[in-house]
Amino acid sequence: MNDIYALLEENNLSRTPCRVEILKTLSQAGSALSESEIRDKLGYNYDRTTVYRTLRNFLNQNVIHSISLEGGEVRYAMTPSRDKPHGTHHVHFYCNNCSGVYCISHKPFNTPRLPSGFSPENFDLLVHGKCKNCSV
Amino acid sequence: MNDIYALLEENNLSRTPCRVEILKTLSQAGSALSESEIRDKLGYNYDRTTVYRTLRNFLNQNVIHSISLEGGEVRYAMTPSRDKPHGTHHVHFYCNNCSGVYCISHKPFNTPRLPSGFSPENFDLLVHGKCKNCSV
DNA sequence: TATTGATTTGCAACGCTGTTGCAAATATAA
DNA sequence: TTATATTTGCAACAGCGTTGCAAATCAATA
C-alpha cells in the first residue's frame, strides 16, 4: 500500500481514490487487464473516461505499460521497476487457453538480423502458448 | 495478376473485383496497410463492411495476416508463401518515423527462456526503429 | 445465352474502445 | 478557511469492426 503511495508521489501524481484503486488492482492482478476488466474489478464506481485518463497518465509516466494483442485488444499492466526509465526488450506471454497476458523477464534477448538499412531501437516479443495454469 | 487469380482459386474464393483489387493493393504496397488505407487506395469504391469481410476471409485462409500495433492499430499484409500452411516465428518492423510496417524474414530466431510451466507455441516479434528509407 | 441457386455486396444499425469539452467536485497550498 | 489547480463525471463524439437483411453479382447448368 505504501508502495502505491510512493509510486504516485515519485511521479508527481496526487493521491486520489481512483488512482490508488487502479494501481492496487493492477498490482494484485496476476495478469494484464483491459480497461473494462479494471472497471469491472472496481465495481463500476468510476466513469470510463476517468479510468482512461488515469491509465493515460500512468502510461505517460511509465508507471504502467500497455500490451497490444491480435485484433487490436489492449491490456494494461504495472511496469516492473527494473524497466524504468526505459527498457528496450519486452516479452509478454498470451495464453491461448485462458487469454491471460503475463509480463515475462525483460533481459535483452537475441534478436534476428534485419535487412540492411533497418536500425532497431526496441523489441517487443509476444509469445503465444499455454500458461503455467493451463498447460497440463 | 495471374498470381492473384491463382491465389483466389487455391483458396476457393470466387473472383470478385473487390477481392482482386484488395489483393493487388496489398501485393503492390511496400508495407502493411490498415483497412482505411486500403479503402483509400481503392478510391472508396467499396463499402467498409465489404472490405472488412473480405479481409476476414483472407485472414481465415491465411492469404493475409494482421499485425497489431501499439494502441490497438491493426495493419494487414500478404502472407509470404513460405508461411503457409503456418509459421511459428514472425518478425515485423515498425518505423517510428514514417509509421510504415514491414514483414521481415521469418526464419526461426532464438527466443528467451520462459518461466517453468509456460509452453510456447508461436512467437511474434515487433521491432521498432527507423526503416530503410528513414534511417538518415 | 439464359436461368437458376449460392455467394457477395451495400446499407443501416449497432457495440466497443478511446477521446474531447465543459461544469461540478475534490485536492493542495496558502 | 479560502483560493487555485487538478481531477472527476457527464454528454457527445470518432473510429474500428460486426451483424441482419435485401439487392446485386457470380458460377454452374441447361
Side-chain angles (χ1 to χ4, degrees), chain B residues 46-108:
Chain B
Y46 299 100
D47 192 78
R48 238 156 42 80
T49 311
T50 302
V51 174
Y52 276 117
R53 274 194 282 230
T54 303
L55 292 173
R56 204 203 304 163
N57 283 333
F58 290 162
L59 287 172
N60 288 341
Q61 309 273 64
N62 202 27
V63 172
I64 66 173
H65 62 285
S66 65
I67 304 115
S68 295
L69 305 177
E70 318 248 313
E73 201 195 334
V74 180
R75 306 270 180 95
Y76 305 89
M78 300 296 292
T79 300
S81 47
R82 78 176 101 81
D83 259 8
K84 298 164 193 162
H86 212 65
T88 55
H89 292 63
H90 306 109
V91 184
H92 292 96
F93 190 96
Y94 175 87
C95 179
N96 290 325
N97 188 60
C98 69
S99 305
V101 171
Y102 305 90
C103 302
I104 307 288
S105 142
H106 291 195
K107 271 178 288 184

Short mmCIF file of all heavy atoms in Angstrom, two decimals, chain B residues 46-108:
data_model
loop_
_atom_site.label_atom_id
_atom_site.label_comp_id
_atom_site.label_asym_id
_atom_site.label_seq_id
_atom_site.Cartn_x
_atom_site.Cartn_y
_atom_site.Cartn_z
N TYR B 46 -15.63 0.70 -52.41
CA TYR B 46 -16.27 -0.42 -51.73
C TYR B 46 -16.66 -0.01 -50.33
O TYR B 46 -16.00 0.82 -49.70
CB TYR B 46 -15.33 -1.63 -51.68
CG TYR B 46 -14.98 -2.10 -53.06
CD1 TYR B 46 -13.76 -1.76 -53.63
CD2 TYR B 46 -15.88 -2.85 -53.80
CE1 TYR B 46 -13.44 -2.17 -54.92
CE2 TYR B 46 -15.57 -3.26 -55.09
CZ TYR B 46 -14.35 -2.92 -55.64
OH TYR B 46 -14.05 -3.30 -56.91
N ASP B 47 -17.71 -0.62 -49.86
CA ASP B 47 -18.20 -0.33 -48.53
C ASP B 47 -17.21 -0.85 -47.48
O ASP B 47 -16.56 -1.87 -47.68
CB ASP B 47 -19.56 -0.99 -48.34
CG ASP B 47 -20.25 -0.49 -47.09
OD1 ASP B 47 -20.80 0.62 -47.13
OD2 ASP B 47 -20.21 -1.20 -46.06
N ARG B 48 -17.14 -0.11 -46.38
CA ARG B 48 -16.32 -0.54 -45.24
C ARG B 48 -16.59 -2.00 -44.86
O ARG B 48 -15.67 -2.80 -44.68
CB ARG B 48 -16.69 0.32 -44.04
CG ARG B 48 -15.59 1.10 -43.40
CD ARG B 48 -16.11 2.33 -42.64
NE ARG B 48 -17.29 2.08 -41.85
CZ ARG B 48 -17.29 1.50 -40.65
NH1 ARG B 48 -16.16 1.10 -40.10
NH2 ARG B 48 -18.41 1.32 -40.00
N THR B 49 -17.88 -2.31 -44.77
CA THR B 49 -18.27 -3.67 -44.39
C THR B 49 -17.69 -4.70 -45.34
O THR B 49 -17.18 -5.74 -44.90
CB THR B 49 -19.80 -3.80 -44.42
OG1 THR B 49 -20.36 -2.72 -43.70
CG2 THR B 49 -20.23 -5.11 -43.82
N THR B 50 -17.78 -4.42 -46.61
CA THR B 50 -17.29 -5.36 -47.61
C THR B 50 -15.79 -5.57 -47.46
O THR B 50 -15.30 -6.71 -47.52
CB THR B 50 -17.61 -4.83 -49.02
OG1 THR B 50 -19.02 -4.64 -49.11
CG2 THR B 50 -17.15 -5.80 -50.08
N VAL B 51 -15.07 -4.49 -47.26
CA VAL B 51 -13.62 -4.60 -47.11
C VAL B 51 -13.30 -5.43 -45.87
O VAL B 51 -12.46 -6.34 -45.91
CB VAL B 51 -12.96 -3.21 -47.04
CG1 VAL B 51 -11.48 -3.34 -46.74
CG2 VAL B 51 -13.18 -2.47 -48.35
N TYR B 52 -13.98 -5.14 -44.76
CA TYR B 52 -13.72 -5.92 -43.55
C TYR B 52 -14.03 -7.39 -43.75
O TYR B 52 -13.29 -8.26 -43.29
CB TYR B 52 -14.55 -5.39 -42.37
CG TYR B 52 -13.89 -4.21 -41.69
CD1 TYR B 52 -14.50 -2.97 -41.67
CD2 TYR B 52 -12.67 -4.36 -41.05
CE1 TYR B 52 -13.91 -1.89 -41.05
CE2 TYR B 52 -12.07 -3.28 -40.41
CZ TYR B 52 -12.69 -2.05 -40.42
OH TYR B 52 -12.10 -0.99 -39.80
N ARG B 53 -15.15 -7.67 -44.43
CA ARG B 53 -15.50 -9.07 -44.65
C ARG B 53 -14.49 -9.76 -45.54
O ARG B 53 -14.11 -10.91 -45.31
CB ARG B 53 -16.91 -9.17 -45.22
CG ARG B 53 -17.96 -9.17 -44.12
CD ARG B 53 -19.32 -9.60 -44.62
NE ARG B 53 -19.96 -8.50 -45.34
CZ ARG B 53 -21.21 -8.09 -45.11
NH1 ARG B 53 -21.94 -8.68 -44.19
NH2 ARG B 53 -21.72 -7.10 -45.80
N THR B 54 -14.02 -9.03 -46.52
CA THR B 54 -13.01 -9.60 -47.43
C THR B 54 -11.72 -9.88 -46.67
O THR B 54 -11.14 -10.95 -46.80
CB THR B 54 -12.76 -8.61 -48.59
OG1 THR B 54 -14.01 -8.35 -49.23
CG2 THR B 54 -11.78 -9.18 -49.58
N LEU B 55 -11.30 -8.93 -45.85
CA LEU B 55 -10.08 -9.12 -45.08
C LEU B 55 -10.23 -10.31 -44.13
O LEU B 55 -9.32 -11.12 -43.97
CB LEU B 55 -9.74 -7.86 -44.28
CG LEU B 55 -9.33 -6.64 -45.11
CD1 LEU B 55 -9.20 -5.41 -44.23
CD2 LEU B 55 -8.01 -6.91 -45.84
N ARG B 56 -11.41 -10.43 -43.54
CA ARG B 56 -11.63 -11.54 -42.62
C ARG B 56 -11.52 -12.89 -43.34
O ARG B 56 -10.91 -13.83 -42.83
CB ARG B 56 -12.99 -11.40 -41.94
CG ARG B 56 -13.06 -12.12 -40.59
CD ARG B 56 -14.49 -12.46 -40.21
NE ARG B 56 -15.32 -11.25 -40.20
CZ ARG B 56 -16.63 -11.28 -40.22
NH1 ARG B 56 -17.30 -12.43 -40.24
NH2 ARG B 56 -17.32 -10.15 -40.24
N ASN B 57 -12.10 -12.96 -44.54
CA ASN B 57 -11.97 -14.18 -45.34
C ASN B 57 -10.51 -14.49 -45.62
O ASN B 57 -10.07 -15.62 -45.46
CB ASN B 57 -12.72 -14.04 -46.67
CG ASN B 57 -14.21 -14.18 -46.49
OD1 ASN B 57 -14.68 -14.84 -45.58
ND2 ASN B 57 -14.98 -13.54 -47.37
N PHE B 58 -9.79 -13.48 -46.05
CA PHE B 58 -8.37 -13.69 -46.36
C PHE B 58 -7.59 -14.12 -45.12
O PHE B 58 -6.72 -14.98 -45.19
CB PHE B 58 -7.76 -12.41 -46.94
CG PHE B 58 -8.23 -12.06 -48.32
CD1 PHE B 58 -8.08 -10.77 -48.82
CD2 PHE B 58 -8.83 -13.01 -49.14
CE1 PHE B 58 -8.50 -10.44 -50.09
CE2 PHE B 58 -9.25 -12.69 -50.42
CZ PHE B 58 -9.10 -11.40 -50.90
N LEU B 59 -7.91 -13.52 -43.98
CA LEU B 59 -7.23 -13.90 -42.73
C LEU B 59 -7.52 -15.37 -42.39
O LEU B 59 -6.62 -16.12 -42.04
CB LEU B 59 -7.70 -13.01 -41.57
CG LEU B 59 -7.18 -11.57 -41.55
CD1 LEU B 59 -7.89 -10.76 -40.47
CD2 LEU B 59 -5.67 -11.53 -41.33
N ASN B 60 -8.78 -15.75 -42.53
CA ASN B 60 -9.15 -17.13 -42.21
C ASN B 60 -8.39 -18.14 -43.07
O ASN B 60 -8.05 -19.22 -42.60
CB ASN B 60 -10.66 -17.35 -42.43
CG ASN B 60 -11.48 -16.66 -41.37
OD1 ASN B 60 -10.96 -16.33 -40.29
ND2 ASN B 60 -12.74 -16.42 -41.65
N GLN B 61 -8.14 -17.77 -44.30
CA GLN B 61 -7.46 -18.68 -45.22
C GLN B 61 -5.95 -18.48 -45.18
O GLN B 61 -5.23 -19.10 -45.96
CB GLN B 61 -7.94 -18.43 -46.65
CG GLN B 61 -9.44 -18.43 -46.82
CD GLN B 61 -10.00 -19.80 -47.05
OE1 GLN B 61 -9.92 -20.66 -46.19
NE2 GLN B 61 -10.54 -20.01 -48.23
N ASN B 62 -5.51 -17.59 -44.32
CA ASN B 62 -4.08 -17.28 -44.21
C ASN B 62 -3.49 -16.69 -45.50
O ASN B 62 -2.30 -16.80 -45.75
CB ASN B 62 -3.29 -18.53 -43.78
CG ASN B 62 -1.96 -18.16 -43.16
OD1 ASN B 62 -1.79 -17.08 -42.61
ND2 ASN B 62 -1.00 -19.05 -43.27
N VAL B 63 -4.35 -16.12 -46.31
CA VAL B 63 -3.87 -15.43 -47.52
C VAL B 63 -3.17 -14.14 -47.10
O VAL B 63 -2.18 -13.73 -47.68
CB VAL B 63 -5.04 -15.13 -48.47
CG1 VAL B 63 -4.61 -14.24 -49.63
CG2 VAL B 63 -5.65 -16.43 -48.99
N ILE B 64 -3.73 -13.50 -46.08
CA ILE B 64 -3.09 -12.33 -45.49
C ILE B 64 -2.93 -12.59 -43.99
O ILE B 64 -3.48 -13.56 -43.46
CB ILE B 64 -3.90 -11.03 -45.71
CG1 ILE B 64 -5.23 -11.09 -44.96
CG2 ILE B 64 -4.13 -10.78 -47.18
CD1 ILE B 64 -6.02 -9.78 -44.97
N HIS B 65 -2.18 -11.73 -43.32
CA HIS B 65 -2.11 -11.80 -41.86
C HIS B 65 -2.21 -10.39 -41.33
O HIS B 65 -2.04 -9.42 -42.06
CB HIS B 65 -0.82 -12.48 -41.39
CG HIS B 65 0.42 -11.76 -41.80
ND1 HIS B 65 0.92 -11.78 -43.09
CD2 HIS B 65 1.26 -10.96 -41.11
CE1 HIS B 65 2.02 -11.04 -43.16
NE2 HIS B 65 2.26 -10.53 -41.97
N SER B 66 -2.52 -10.27 -40.05
CA SER B 66 -2.66 -8.95 -39.46
C SER B 66 -1.54 -8.70 -38.47
O SER B 66 -1.01 -9.63 -37.88
CB SER B 66 -4.02 -8.81 -38.76
OG SER B 66 -4.10 -9.68 -37.67
N ILE B 67 -1.19 -7.45 -38.32
CA ILE B 67 -0.16 -7.04 -37.36
C ILE B 67 -0.80 -6.01 -36.43
O ILE B 67 -1.35 -5.02 -36.90
CB ILE B 67 1.06 -6.41 -38.07
CG1 ILE B 67 1.63 -7.37 -39.10
CG2 ILE B 67 2.13 -6.01 -37.06
CD1 ILE B 67 1.51 -6.90 -40.53
N SER B 68 -0.73 -6.27 -35.13
CA SER B 68 -1.32 -5.36 -34.15
C SER B 68 -0.26 -4.44 -33.59
O SER B 68 0.75 -4.91 -33.08
CB SER B 68 -1.97 -6.14 -33.01
OG SER B 68 -3.06 -6.87 -33.51
N LEU B 69 -0.50 -3.14 -33.68
CA LEU B 69 0.47 -2.16 -33.20
C LEU B 69 0.03 -1.57 -31.88
O LEU B 69 -1.11 -1.75 -31.45
CB LEU B 69 0.62 -1.05 -34.24
CG LEU B 69 0.98 -1.52 -35.65
CD1 LEU B 69 1.02 -0.34 -36.60
CD2 LEU B 69 2.30 -2.25 -35.64
N GLU B 70 0.94 -0.83 -31.27
CA GLU B 70 0.63 -0.15 -30.01
C GLU B 70 -0.66 0.66 -30.16
O GLU B 70 -0.89 1.26 -31.20
CB GLU B 70 1.74 0.82 -29.61
CG GLU B 70 3.13 0.31 -29.81
CD GLU B 70 3.84 0.08 -28.49
OE1 GLU B 70 3.77 0.97 -27.63
OE2 GLU B 70 4.45 -1.00 -28.34
N GLY B 71 -1.45 0.64 -29.13
CA GLY B 71 -2.66 1.45 -29.15
C GLY B 71 -3.79 0.79 -29.91
O GLY B 71 -4.83 1.38 -30.10
N GLY B 72 -3.56 -0.47 -30.35
CA GLY B 72 -4.67 -1.19 -30.95
C GLY B 72 -4.82 -1.01 -32.45
O GLY B 72 -5.79 -1.50 -33.03
N GLU B 73 -3.88 -0.32 -33.08
CA GLU B 73 -3.98 -0.18 -34.53
C GLU B 73 -3.64 -1.49 -35.21
O GLU B 73 -2.72 -2.19 -34.79
CB GLU B 73 -3.04 0.93 -35.01
CG GLU B 73 -3.44 1.47 -36.37
CD GLU B 73 -2.33 2.31 -37.01
OE1 GLU B 73 -1.49 2.86 -36.29
OE2 GLU B 73 -2.32 2.37 -38.25
N VAL B 74 -4.39 -1.83 -36.27
CA VAL B 74 -4.18 -3.10 -36.97
C VAL B 74 -3.84 -2.86 -38.43
O VAL B 74 -4.47 -2.04 -39.09
CB VAL B 74 -5.42 -4.01 -36.85
CG1 VAL B 74 -5.20 -5.33 -37.57
CG2 VAL B 74 -5.77 -4.26 -35.40
N ARG B 75 -2.82 -3.55 -38.92
CA ARG B 75 -2.45 -3.47 -40.34
C ARG B 75 -2.53 -4.86 -40.95
O ARG B 75 -2.39 -5.86 -40.26
CB ARG B 75 -1.00 -2.96 -40.48
CG ARG B 75 -0.73 -1.65 -39.78
CD ARG B 75 -0.97 -0.45 -40.65
NE ARG B 75 -0.68 0.76 -39.91
CZ ARG B 75 0.49 1.40 -39.94
NH1 ARG B 75 1.48 0.95 -40.70
NH2 ARG B 75 0.70 2.49 -39.22
N TYR B 76 -2.70 -4.87 -42.27
CA TYR B 76 -2.85 -6.13 -42.98
C TYR B 76 -1.80 -6.24 -44.07
O TYR B 76 -1.48 -5.26 -44.74
CB TYR B 76 -4.24 -6.23 -43.59
CG TYR B 76 -5.35 -6.04 -42.57
CD1 TYR B 76 -5.85 -4.78 -42.27
CD2 TYR B 76 -5.86 -7.13 -41.89
CE1 TYR B 76 -6.85 -4.60 -41.32
CE2 TYR B 76 -6.87 -6.97 -40.93
CZ TYR B 76 -7.36 -5.70 -40.66
OH TYR B 76 -8.34 -5.53 -39.71
N ALA B 77 -1.27 -7.45 -44.25
CA ALA B 77 -0.27 -7.67 -45.29
C ALA B 77 -0.40 -9.08 -45.85
O ALA B 77 -0.91 -9.98 -45.18
CB ALA B 77 1.14 -7.46 -44.73
N MET B 78 0.06 -9.27 -47.09
CA MET B 78 0.08 -10.59 -47.70
C MET B 78 0.89 -11.54 -46.82
O MET B 78 1.91 -11.14 -46.25
CB MET B 78 0.76 -10.54 -49.08
CG MET B 78 0.10 -9.63 -50.09
SD MET B 78 -1.56 -10.12 -50.54
CE MET B 78 -1.26 -11.66 -51.43
N THR B 79 0.47 -12.78 -46.75
CA THR B 79 1.27 -13.79 -46.06
C THR B 79 2.30 -14.33 -47.05
O THR B 79 1.93 -14.79 -48.12
CB THR B 79 0.38 -14.94 -45.58
OG1 THR B 79 -0.61 -14.42 -44.69
CG2 THR B 79 1.21 -16.00 -44.87
N PRO B 80 3.60 -14.25 -46.68
CA PRO B 80 4.62 -14.77 -47.59
C PRO B 80 4.36 -16.26 -47.83
O PRO B 80 3.98 -16.97 -46.90
CB PRO B 80 5.93 -14.58 -46.82
CG PRO B 80 5.62 -13.65 -45.70
CD PRO B 80 4.17 -13.76 -45.43
N SER B 81 4.58 -16.73 -49.06
CA SER B 81 4.19 -18.10 -49.38
C SER B 81 4.91 -19.12 -48.50
O SER B 81 4.38 -20.17 -48.20
CB SER B 81 4.46 -18.39 -50.86
OG SER B 81 5.74 -17.94 -51.21
N ARG B 82 6.12 -18.77 -48.06
CA ARG B 82 6.84 -19.70 -47.18
C ARG B 82 6.11 -19.92 -45.85
O ARG B 82 6.42 -20.86 -45.12
CB ARG B 82 8.26 -19.19 -46.93
CG ARG B 82 8.34 -18.05 -45.91
CD ARG B 82 9.77 -17.65 -45.63
NE ARG B 82 10.12 -16.43 -46.35
CZ ARG B 82 9.82 -15.21 -45.96
NH1 ARG B 82 9.12 -15.02 -44.85
NH2 ARG B 82 10.17 -14.16 -46.66
N ASP B 83 5.16 -19.05 -45.54
CA ASP B 83 4.50 -19.16 -44.24
C ASP B 83 3.19 -19.93 -44.30
O ASP B 83 2.36 -19.84 -43.40
CB ASP B 83 4.23 -17.78 -43.66
CG ASP B 83 5.26 -17.45 -42.60
OD1 ASP B 83 6.22 -18.24 -42.48
OD2 ASP B 83 5.10 -16.44 -41.91
N LYS B 84 2.99 -20.64 -45.39
CA LYS B 84 1.82 -21.49 -45.44
C LYS B 84 2.30 -22.92 -45.38
O LYS B 84 3.29 -23.25 -46.01
CB LYS B 84 1.04 -21.23 -46.74
CG LYS B 84 0.53 -19.80 -46.81
CD LYS B 84 0.14 -19.46 -48.22
CE LYS B 84 -0.08 -17.96 -48.36
NZ LYS B 84 -0.04 -17.54 -49.76
N PRO B 85 1.66 -23.82 -44.65
CA PRO B 85 0.39 -23.56 -44.00
C PRO B 85 0.48 -22.67 -42.78
O PRO B 85 -0.49 -22.03 -42.43
CB PRO B 85 -0.08 -24.97 -43.61
CG PRO B 85 1.18 -25.75 -43.44
CD PRO B 85 2.15 -25.17 -44.40
N HIS B 86 1.66 -22.60 -42.12
CA HIS B 86 1.64 -21.91 -40.84
C HIS B 86 3.06 -21.63 -40.41
O HIS B 86 3.91 -22.49 -40.45
CB HIS B 86 0.96 -22.80 -39.81
CG HIS B 86 0.24 -22.01 -38.78
ND1 HIS B 86 -0.85 -21.22 -39.10
CD2 HIS B 86 0.46 -21.85 -37.47
CE1 HIS B 86 -1.27 -20.63 -38.00
NE2 HIS B 86 -0.50 -20.99 -37.00
N GLY B 87 3.32 -20.43 -39.97
CA GLY B 87 4.64 -20.14 -39.44
C GLY B 87 4.58 -19.98 -37.93
O GLY B 87 3.53 -19.66 -37.38
N THR B 88 5.68 -20.22 -37.25
CA THR B 88 5.68 -20.08 -35.79
C THR B 88 6.47 -18.85 -35.34
O THR B 88 6.29 -18.39 -34.23
CB THR B 88 6.31 -21.31 -35.12
OG1 THR B 88 7.61 -21.49 -35.66
CG2 THR B 88 5.47 -22.56 -35.38
N HIS B 89 7.33 -18.33 -36.22
CA HIS B 89 8.16 -17.18 -35.85
C HIS B 89 7.89 -16.04 -36.83
O HIS B 89 8.16 -16.17 -38.02
CB HIS B 89 9.64 -17.55 -35.91
CG HIS B 89 10.06 -18.52 -34.85
ND1 HIS B 89 9.56 -19.80 -34.77
CD2 HIS B 89 10.91 -18.39 -33.80
CE1 HIS B 89 10.10 -20.41 -33.73
NE2 HIS B 89 10.93 -19.59 -33.12
N HIS B 90 7.38 -14.95 -36.33
CA HIS B 90 7.07 -13.82 -37.19
C HIS B 90 7.80 -12.58 -36.71
O HIS B 90 7.84 -12.31 -35.52
CB HIS B 90 5.57 -13.55 -37.21
CG HIS B 90 4.78 -14.76 -37.57
ND1 HIS B 90 4.00 -15.44 -36.67
CD2 HIS B 90 4.66 -15.44 -38.74
CE1 HIS B 90 3.44 -16.47 -37.27
NE2 HIS B 90 3.82 -16.50 -38.52
N VAL B 91 8.35 -11.83 -37.66
CA VAL B 91 9.05 -10.59 -37.32
C VAL B 91 8.47 -9.46 -38.15
O VAL B 91 8.34 -9.58 -39.37
CB VAL B 91 10.56 -10.70 -37.62
CG1 VAL B 91 11.28 -9.44 -37.16
CG2 VAL B 91 11.16 -11.92 -36.94
N HIS B 92 8.09 -8.38 -37.47
CA HIS B 92 7.64 -7.19 -38.17
C HIS B 92 8.41 -5.99 -37.66
O HIS B 92 8.86 -5.96 -36.52
CB HIS B 92 6.14 -6.99 -37.99
CG HIS B 92 5.34 -8.04 -38.69
ND1 HIS B 92 4.86 -9.15 -38.04
CD2 HIS B 92 4.95 -8.16 -39.98
CE1 HIS B 92 4.21 -9.91 -38.90
NE2 HIS B 92 4.24 -9.34 -40.08
N PHE B 93 8.54 -5.02 -38.54
CA PHE B 93 9.30 -3.82 -38.20
C PHE B 93 8.39 -2.61 -38.32
O PHE B 93 7.75 -2.41 -39.36
CB PHE B 93 10.49 -3.67 -39.16
CG PHE B 93 11.46 -2.60 -38.73
CD1 PHE B 93 12.59 -2.92 -37.99
CD2 PHE B 93 11.26 -1.27 -39.06
CE1 PHE B 93 13.49 -1.95 -37.59
CE2 PHE B 93 12.14 -0.28 -38.66
CZ PHE B 93 13.27 -0.63 -37.92
N TYR B 94 8.34 -1.83 -37.25
CA TYR B 94 7.54 -0.60 -37.26
C TYR B 94 8.49 0.58 -37.30
O TYR B 94 9.36 0.71 -36.43
CB TYR B 94 6.67 -0.52 -36.00
CG TYR B 94 5.92 0.79 -35.90
CD1 TYR B 94 4.68 0.94 -36.51
CD2 TYR B 94 6.46 1.87 -35.22
CE1 TYR B 94 3.98 2.13 -36.44
CE2 TYR B 94 5.77 3.07 -35.14
CZ TYR B 94 4.54 3.19 -35.74
OH TYR B 94 3.85 4.39 -35.68
N CYS B 95 8.32 1.46 -38.27
CA CYS B 95 9.20 2.63 -38.36
C CYS B 95 8.63 3.77 -37.53
O CYS B 95 7.52 4.25 -37.79
CB CYS B 95 9.39 3.07 -39.80
SG CYS B 95 10.45 4.54 -39.91
N ASN B 96 9.42 4.22 -36.55
CA ASN B 96 8.99 5.30 -35.67
C ASN B 96 8.87 6.63 -36.42
O ASN B 96 8.22 7.55 -35.94
CB ASN B 96 9.99 5.49 -34.53
CG ASN B 96 9.95 4.33 -33.55
OD1 ASN B 96 8.89 3.77 -33.30
ND2 ASN B 96 11.10 3.97 -33.02
N ASN B 97 9.48 6.69 -37.58
CA ASN B 97 9.46 7.94 -38.33
C ASN B 97 8.28 8.00 -39.31
O ASN B 97 7.47 8.90 -39.26
CB ASN B 97 10.78 8.13 -39.07
CG ASN B 97 10.88 9.50 -39.70
OD1 ASN B 97 10.82 10.50 -39.01
ND2 ASN B 97 11.00 9.54 -41.02
N CYS B 98 8.17 7.00 -40.19
CA CYS B 98 7.14 7.07 -41.23
C CYS B 98 5.92 6.21 -40.91
O CYS B 98 4.96 6.17 -41.68
CB CYS B 98 7.71 6.67 -42.59
SG CYS B 98 8.13 4.92 -42.73
N SER B 99 5.98 5.48 -39.79
CA SER B 99 4.88 4.61 -39.36
C SER B 99 4.65 3.41 -40.27
O SER B 99 3.66 2.71 -40.13
CB SER B 99 3.57 5.38 -39.25
OG SER B 99 3.72 6.48 -38.41
N GLY B 100 5.55 3.18 -41.19
CA GLY B 100 5.43 2.01 -42.06
C GLY B 100 5.67 0.72 -41.29
O GLY B 100 6.44 0.70 -40.33
N VAL B 101 4.99 -0.34 -41.71
CA VAL B 101 5.18 -1.65 -41.09
C VAL B 101 5.64 -2.63 -42.15
O VAL B 101 5.00 -2.77 -43.20
CB VAL B 101 3.87 -2.15 -40.45
CG1 VAL B 101 4.00 -3.60 -40.00
CG2 VAL B 101 3.48 -1.26 -39.29
N TYR B 102 6.75 -3.31 -41.88
CA TYR B 102 7.35 -4.21 -42.86
C TYR B 102 7.45 -5.62 -42.31
O TYR B 102 7.80 -5.81 -41.15
CB TYR B 102 8.75 -3.70 -43.24
CG TYR B 102 8.73 -2.28 -43.73
CD1 TYR B 102 8.87 -1.21 -42.84
CD2 TYR B 102 8.52 -2.00 -45.08
CE1 TYR B 102 8.81 0.11 -43.28
CE2 TYR B 102 8.46 -0.69 -45.52
CZ TYR B 102 8.61 0.36 -44.62
OH TYR B 102 8.54 1.65 -45.07
N CYS B 103 7.14 -6.61 -43.16
CA CYS B 103 7.32 -8.01 -42.78
C CYS B 103 8.78 -8.37 -43.01
O CYS B 103 9.32 -8.12 -44.08
CB CYS B 103 6.45 -8.93 -43.64
SG CYS B 103 4.71 -8.54 -43.54
N ILE B 104 9.40 -8.97 -41.99
CA ILE B 104 10.82 -9.33 -42.09
C ILE B 104 10.93 -10.85 -42.15
O ILE B 104 10.06 -11.56 -41.64
CB ILE B 104 11.58 -8.80 -40.85
CG1 ILE B 104 11.32 -7.30 -40.65
CG2 ILE B 104 13.07 -9.09 -40.95
CD1 ILE B 104 11.98 -6.41 -41.66
N SER B 105 12.00 -11.29 -42.76
CA SER B 105 12.29 -12.73 -42.89
C SER B 105 11.87 -13.53 -41.67
O SER B 105 12.08 -13.11 -40.54
CB SER B 105 13.79 -12.91 -43.11
OG SER B 105 14.26 -14.05 -42.42
N HIS B 106 11.31 -14.69 -41.90
CA HIS B 106 10.68 -15.44 -40.81
C HIS B 106 11.45 -16.65 -40.34
O HIS B 106 10.87 -17.59 -39.82
CB HIS B 106 9.28 -15.89 -41.25
CG HIS B 106 8.33 -14.76 -41.40
ND1 HIS B 106 7.00 -14.96 -41.48
CD2 HIS B 106 8.52 -13.44 -41.47
CE1 HIS B 106 6.38 -13.79 -41.61
NE2 HIS B 106 7.30 -12.85 -41.63
N LYS B 107 12.74 -16.70 -40.56
CA LYS B 107 13.48 -17.86 -40.05
C LYS B 107 13.34 -17.90 -38.53
O LYS B 107 13.38 -16.85 -37.88
CB LYS B 107 14.96 -17.75 -40.43
CG LYS B 107 15.28 -18.38 -41.78
CD LYS B 107 16.74 -18.22 -42.14
CE LYS B 107 17.06 -16.77 -42.50
NZ LYS B 107 18.45 -16.57 -42.94
N PRO B 108 13.19 -19.11 -37.98
CA PRO B 108 13.12 -19.19 -36.51
C PRO B 108 14.30 -18.47 -35.87
O PRO B 108 15.42 -18.54 -36.37
CB PRO B 108 13.20 -20.70 -36.24
CG PRO B 108 12.57 -21.31 -37.44
CD PRO B 108 12.96 -20.42 -38.60
#
